[in-house]
């Protein structure tokens, strides 16, 4: 082989070597574009499972009387002590600042008093006055049944218990004491101080005709004033449609 031929052969081989080297580099680079492809798949923890939380039960009103119309003809009001002083529908009492006379306020209420309205003096006989609600059907409802009232001891009075009775008859002799609610007087003795109170009456659930009664405690007082009464239930029995409440 001549000198020129050897030199040409050397150049050709070097050219081919560099060409193969470049091709090998490109192939290697393509294979390693994603270095993680060659790693084993990583285990992923499943999303944690949380226990289902039942929503808090909400209650709805099944009966209500707010005394706005002053009509309590569907109530039974009993003057058991016989002194001609009984529960009445009217306005909360106030004192006329000019004359000192007892006058009506601006809140519609059901009330009983143990005072002489002409003089403001207490009556000699302690009241035993029953206010018995119209019958309520509690056969449709489930969960807690609550009696709710907005009430106060009247002005110039102190704290007093109101006794709550329940029965399946309007006869108070058949009634059972469900509980007592302490009505508290506000810090201002001559101003209205109505507050909300509640009593669980679930023990009467399932009865067709339920009579709820209110009775003053056996002591002297100025007055009990109730602005609103309503009964709530947490739920309905299956396949029962909600009954519309009585609105007065």
């Amino acid at each position: 082989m001549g000198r020129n031929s050897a030199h040409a052969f050397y150049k050709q081989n070097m050219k081919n070597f560099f060409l193969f080297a470049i091709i090998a580099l490109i192939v290697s680079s393509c294979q390693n574009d994603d270095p993680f492809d060659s790693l084993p798949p990583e285990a992923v923890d499943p999303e944690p499972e949380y226990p289902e939380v039942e929503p808090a039960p909400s209650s709805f009103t099944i009966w209500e009387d707010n005394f706005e119309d002053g009509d309590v003809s569907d109530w039974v009001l009993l003057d058991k002590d016989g002194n001609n002083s009984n529960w009445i529908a009217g306005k909360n009492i106030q004192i006329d600042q000019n004359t000192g006379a007892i006058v009506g306020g601006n809140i519609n209420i059901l009330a009983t008093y143990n005072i002489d309205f002409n003089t403001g003096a207490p009556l000699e006989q302690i009241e035993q006055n029953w206010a018995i609600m119209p019958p309520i059907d509690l056969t449709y409802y489930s969960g807690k049944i609550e009696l709710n009232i907005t009430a106060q001891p009247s002005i110039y009075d102190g704290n007093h218990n109101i006794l709550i009775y329940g029965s399946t008859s309007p006869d108070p002799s058949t009634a059972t004491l469900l509980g007592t609610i302490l009505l508290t007087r506000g810090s201002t003795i001559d101003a209205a101080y109505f507050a909300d109170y509640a009593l669980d009456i679930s023990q009467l659930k399932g009865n067709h005709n339920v009579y709820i009664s209110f009775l003053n405690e056996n002591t002297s007082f100025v007055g009990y004033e109730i602005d609103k009464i309503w009964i709530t239930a947490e739920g309905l029995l299956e396949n029962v449609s909600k009954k519309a409440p009585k609105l007065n």
Side-chain angles (χ1 to χ4, degrees):
M1 177 183 296
R3 184 173 180 182
N4 290 337
S5 297
H7 180 71
F9 177 77
Y10 174 78
K11 286 179 66 179
Q12 182 64 36
N13 284 343
M14 289 299 295
K15 181 178 178 181
N16 291 339
F17 173 79
F18 283 117
L19 179 62
F20 284 123
I22 292 172
I23 292 173
L25 182 63
I26 292 173
V27 171
S28 175
S29 175
C30 291
Q31 288 177 341
N32 292 307
D33 277 347
D34 188 353
F36 297 103
D37 281 352
S38 60
L39 297 177
E42 185 176 340
V44 178
D45 291 334
E47 294 255 344
E49 293 185 3
Y50 298 99
E52 292 186 4
V53 178
E54 292 291 332
S58 58
S59 59
F60 56 90
T61 300
I62 62 177
W63 188 93
E64 178 181 349
D65 199 338
N66 55 25
F67 309 110
E68 288 297 317
D69 60 4
D71 181 12
V72 289
S73 59
D74 51 351
W75 285 66
V76 176
L77 306 176
L78 300 176
D79 175 20
K80 296 289 285 184
D81 58 277
N83 69 347
N84 295 317
S85 172
N86 200 359
W87 288 90
I88 55 173
K91 299 285 188 178
N92 65 308
I93 62 171
Q94 293 290 309
I95 300 296
D96 188 310
Q97 298 301 317
N98 296 320
T99 65
I102 297 174
V103 295
N106 56 10
I107 300 173
N108 295 300
I109 57 166
L110 177 69
T112 185
Y113 301 98
N114 191 225
I115 58 172
D116 184 325
F117 280 90
N118 294 319
T119 64
L123 299 178
E124 294 181 1
Q125 190 167 352
I126 293 177
E127 305 288 349
Q128 190 183 357
N129 295 337
W130 290 73
I132 306 172
M133 286 170 38
I136 302 168
D137 190 345
L138 295 183
T139 58
Y140 298 99
Y141 308 104
S142 63
K144 181 186 288 188
I145 310 291
E146 275 193 327
L147 170 73
N148 304 270
I149 66 172
T150 303
Q152 70 165 7
S154 66
I155 59 171
Y156 295 99
D157 206 348
N159 300 342
H160 288 294
N161 284 307
I162 188 167
L163 285 63
I164 311 298
Y165 285 82
S167 177
T168 55
S169 164
D171 182 356
S173 66
T174 67
T176 301
L177 181 64
L178 302 176
T180 60
I181 296 175
L182 179 62
L183 306 183
T184 56
R185 183 65 230 161
S187 57
T188 305
I189 198 169
D190 61 349
Y193 189 78
F194 288 89
D196 293 340
Y197 304 89
L199 180 68
D200 189 338
I201 60 169
S202 300
Q203 66 199 78
L204 297 172
K205 184 171 51 181
N207 289 296
H208 181 64
N209 286 318
V210 171
Y211 296 85
I212 305 296
S213 303
F214 299 84
L215 176 64
N216 59 275
E217 64 180 351
N218 189 29
T219 187
S220 296
F221 61 90
V222 177
Y224 290 78
E225 298 180 333
I226 303 175
D227 175 44
K228 181 181 177 182
I229 302 170
W230 70 105
I231 294 178
T232 59
E234 281 186 344
L236 289 167
L237 296 177
E238 292 184 5
N239 303 320
V240 176
S241 298
K242 187 186 300 183
K243 294 177 68 179
K246 171 183 180 291
L247 298 174
N248 280 348

